[in-house]
Amino acid sequence: MGGKFRKALVGAFLLPVIVAVTSGCDTASSKSNAQAEGSNKDSRPNVVILFADDLGYGDLGSFGHPYIRTPRIDSLAAEGQRWTDFYVAAPVCSPSRAALLTGRLPVRSGLYGNSIRVYFPGEPGGLPQGETTLAEALKSQGYATAMFGKWHLGDAPHALPTRHGFDEWEGVPYSNDMNWVDEPDFDALVKMSLTGDTAQRAAAYARRAAKYANPLAAHFEAPLFFSKATPDGFVDGVEQPTDQTQLTQRATESAVDFIRRSADRPFFLYMPYSMPHTPLFRSDEFVDRSLGGRYGDVVEEIDWSVGAIHDALAEAGVLENTLVVFTSDNGPWLFMREEGGVSGLLRDGKGTTFEGGVRVPTVFYWPGTIAAEVVSDIGSAMDLFSTVMALVGGDAQSATDGVDLSSRLLGQGVSPRVEMPYYRGGTLYAYRKGPWKLHFITEGAYGLPPKRQEHDSPQLYHLHRDPAERLNVASQHPEVVADMLATVAAHKARVSVAPPLFDARLAALMTQAKP
Ligand code: MG
């Protein structure tokens, strides 16, 4: 798409126009269990999940970053629970998000890929209707539900957030780097791989690397989708290209507006920020503001957003009746160098099953209910479904792989999660039990060292004594290795691995690519 056309589109969408592109006969209310609308005296808590993209374990002041200033998130961390050992279920976007929303391991739901790691534009599939999301579960309890930000679970109409329990959504349907200008698209890149055209593919990746390092609006044409579930069907619209410098500002404005509109009824607000995923964009006010460069600017704008949402909850008088969770979808994208974050003292980053890939900076905040504390029990984004439903008094049976953390949040017990599996695609690479972690396979992120290595004798690390995973102590603790192997065998017996949905697109492309 050329520059002229892009400007024309931007101009057209300066008007508050929403174009209805689909309107289904499957009405918006058909999936909701039309429970009575919440009453003013409803004491059930509101739920706000703030979810950064590719924010590393070491990228917040409260998690040790010396230069990026995040005073608003830090104050939530100081007044609430700061969790040191909180995990996502996958080291990349789409499966991590699926696990948060469903409480299920991606291998169980099929929401993963072994060749195609995340969803791309033009995806015919997406989150299956058979999966129950936290938004659907809360909607069936009478909650107002809204999402402002990145989806990444399919861009086909049937897969959009409003078809999965959100009353309203505004956001980019996938990563903000997936609509390249003058670069091969997903199908073209896959065909280059399938036909062995590695030189052309390498040249495309080199050009793209330079564009990530100098992100200009002219290089990317990300769409901003608008979608509402109405009694008459779904109303969808799109603004493309959207101005990425405004993504954090606009999502925040919409969230604040939603809080003001919903204060008389329990609500669920899901805020999956498009940032700090590359290409990095921030509004003028945040340009050159951080000592941490463009990446720092972008994180500081997210911190501003968290503060604005906190203030809106306070102004609406619902702060003490709202659970706020802040976390990230996976570790930092180290390939992006200065445009990516850091995992602090943890090893490696996004894409890997080292701690830096899947352990994320996490805060639970609920003034008057959650007391200030640093928690080193194990928790997972997969547990949010079960935890929230326990607090709300609803059913979490579909959340097969989550546990209820509510007693730990309320200071009444320990976390019931003592184990954590580490999957990369459909393969179990490592397993944690208590402070111990056993690696079966180690591998760097895509294209980065260390090379993939299957360990005939699994590597054992004690994460409390050695959080950076430097010291393999398997030979000193054979009894721990034996116990963990039995635990892993029991895990594998419990979990049936569904076929990878993300790879389904590959079969069609392989057929087309045949000479
Ligand atoms: Mg991500």
Side-chain angles (χ1 to χ4, degrees):
M1 199 184 287
K4 249 187 202 165
F5 187 30
R6 193 175 64 248
K7 273 192 198 120
L9 271 176
V10 168
F13 278 97
L14 285 174
L15 300 167
V17 173
I18 292 184
V19 183
V21 293
T22 53
S23 181
C25 51
D26 172 24
T27 65
S29 55
S30 66
K31 277 189 96 183
S32 83
N33 166 2
Q35 205 180 66
E37 309 274 299
S39 74
N40 292 346
K41 299 217 165 151
D42 202 317
S43 62
R44 293 174 301 169
N46 308 303
V47 178
V48 176
I49 297 179
L50 308 162
F51 199 41
D53 193 355
D54 293 5
L55 182 79
Y57 189 77
D59 285 332
L60 300 175
S62 39
F63 279 78
H65 201 289
Y67 305 121
I68 298 176
R69 292 182 184 132
T70 52
R72 300 306 302 263
I73 300 169
D74 298 347
S75 79
L76 304 190
E79 292 165 36
Q81 286 185 355
R82 183 168 72 80
W83 282 57
T84 62
D85 291 44
F86 198 86
Y87 292 90
V88 284
V92 288
C93 285
S94 299
S96 168
R97 286 153 201 271
L100 181 150
L101 286 170
T102 62
R104 278 154 59 75
L105 279 168
V107 287
R108 203 191 282 277
S109 59
L111 287 159
Y112 71 96
N114 290 318
S115 301
I116 311 292
R117 306 290 177 174
V118 296
Y119 277 136
F120 281 82
E123 167 62 39
L127 185 64
Q129 285 299 318
E131 294 292 324
T132 302
T133 68
L134 178 57
E136 282 172 319
L138 286 169
K139 189 175 170 132
S140 74
Q141 295 288 320
Y143 274 59
T145 56
M147 165 176 166
F148 303 107
K150 172 178 174 177
W151 175 235
H152 218 176
L153 290 170
D155 58 335
H158 64 83
L160 298 182
T162 42
R163 279 64 166 183
H164 289 283
F166 290 99
D167 299 329
E168 54 188 295
W169 168 52
E170 183 183 313
V172 181
Y174 31 67
S175 295
N176 62 324
D177 63 342
M178 288 184 162
N179 303 87
W180 291 90
V181 177
D182 300 330
E183 292 288 348
D185 64 7
F186 170 77
D187 285 11
L189 278 173
V190 170
K191 279 178 195 162
M192 284 177 205
S193 300
L194 293 173
T195 55
D197 192 351
T198 49
Q200 208 187 339
R201 194 188 57 190
Y205 281 126
R207 278 196 311 273
R208 283 168 36 155
K211 290 175 180 175
Y212 278 119
N214 180 27
L216 302 175
H219 295 155
F220 305 95
E221 295 192 328
L224 189 72
F225 278 37
F226 304 85
S227 188
K228 274 198 161 74
T230 79
D232 303 321
F234 299 103
V235 182
D236 301 328
V238 62
E239 168 186 307
Q240 187 173 19
T242 194
D243 176 0
Q244 293 209 45
T245 67
Q246 298 304 306
L247 285 176
T248 302
Q249 293 291 324
R250 288 174 71 176
T252 308
E253 270 170 37
S254 298
V256 167
D257 176 60
F258 172 73
I259 290 166
R260 287 183 186 146
R261 281 187 279 128
S262 310
D264 62 341
R265 167 180 180 196
F267 62 82
F268 172 42
L269 169 63
Y270 177 47
M271 285 290 288
Y273 295 96
S274 274
M275 298 289 145
H277 190 287
T278 48
L280 298 173
F281 287 102
R282 70 288 200 220
S283 66
D284 287 347
E285 203 191 322
F286 287 86
V287 170
D288 294 335
R289 184 145 131 173
S290 174
L291 291 172
R294 184 158 37 220
Y295 186 86
D297 289 348
V298 165
V299 175
E300 292 186 16
E301 188 162 31
I302 289 175
D303 185 70
W304 163 84
S305 170
V306 170
I309 289 168
H310 176 272
D311 294 347
L313 293 169
E315 279 160 26
V318 297
L319 200 54
E320 294 190 347
N321 195 33
T322 302
L323 169 67
V324 179
V325 185
F326 179 93
T327 189
S328 175
D329 72 329
N330 51 249
W333 199 354
L334 300 177
F335 179 76
M336 293 294 156
R337 302 170 62 95
E338 283 184 17
E339 300 288 304
V342 294
S343 53
L345 84 174
L346 302 181
R347 184 168 176 186
D348 221 298
K350 174 177 177 173
T352 78
T353 49
F354 293 110
E355 291 296 293
V358 286
R359 207 198 285 194
V360 283
T362 302
V363 173
F364 287 86
Y365 171 83
W366 185 354
T369 298
I370 293 179
E373 190 180 354
V374 177
V375 174
S376 290
D377 292 11
I378 304 172
S380 167
M382 270 187 303
D383 303 332
L384 295 178
F385 192 127
S386 301
T387 304
V388 164
M389 294 317 283
L391 293 167
V392 160
D395 170 33
Q397 272 190 354
S398 65
T400 333
D401 300 298
V403 297
D404 169 14
L405 303 175
S406 64
S407 63
R408 186 65 190 87
L409 296 181
L410 304 176
Q412 296 163 352
V414 297
S415 167
R417 177 173 289 284
V418 290
E419 297 175 20
M420 188 67 210
Y422 301 68
Y423 283 91
R424 176 162 164 156
T427 306
L428 187 71
Y429 271 49
Y431 206 88
R432 177 170 178 178
K433 184 177 183 184
W436 298 101
K437 179 174 178 183
L438 200 61
H439 284 277
F440 305 104
I441 305 171
T442 47
E443 185 179 4
Y446 319 110
L448 293 179
K451 275 207 161 74
R452 185 178 201 274
Q453 197 182 350
E454 290 187 35
H455 302 282
D456 294 334
S457 304
Q459 294 188 337
L460 182 72
Y461 296 86
H462 191 289
L463 293 176
H464 290 170
R465 298 171 199 152
D466 175 27
E469 296 173 277
R470 293 173 304 154
L471 310 163
N472 174 17
V473 292
S475 61
Q476 289 105 291
H477 300 281
E479 75 295 345
V480 175
V481 174
D483 172 68
M484 288 192 69
L485 289 174
T487 303
V488 169
H491 168 82
K492 286 185 170 171
R494 273 198 311 274
V495 176
S496 53
V497 177
L501 293 171
F502 300 176
D503 291 343
R505 259 181 114 172
L506 201 55
L509 288 168
M510 284 173 86
T511 315
Q512 288 173 29
K514 272 187 189 139

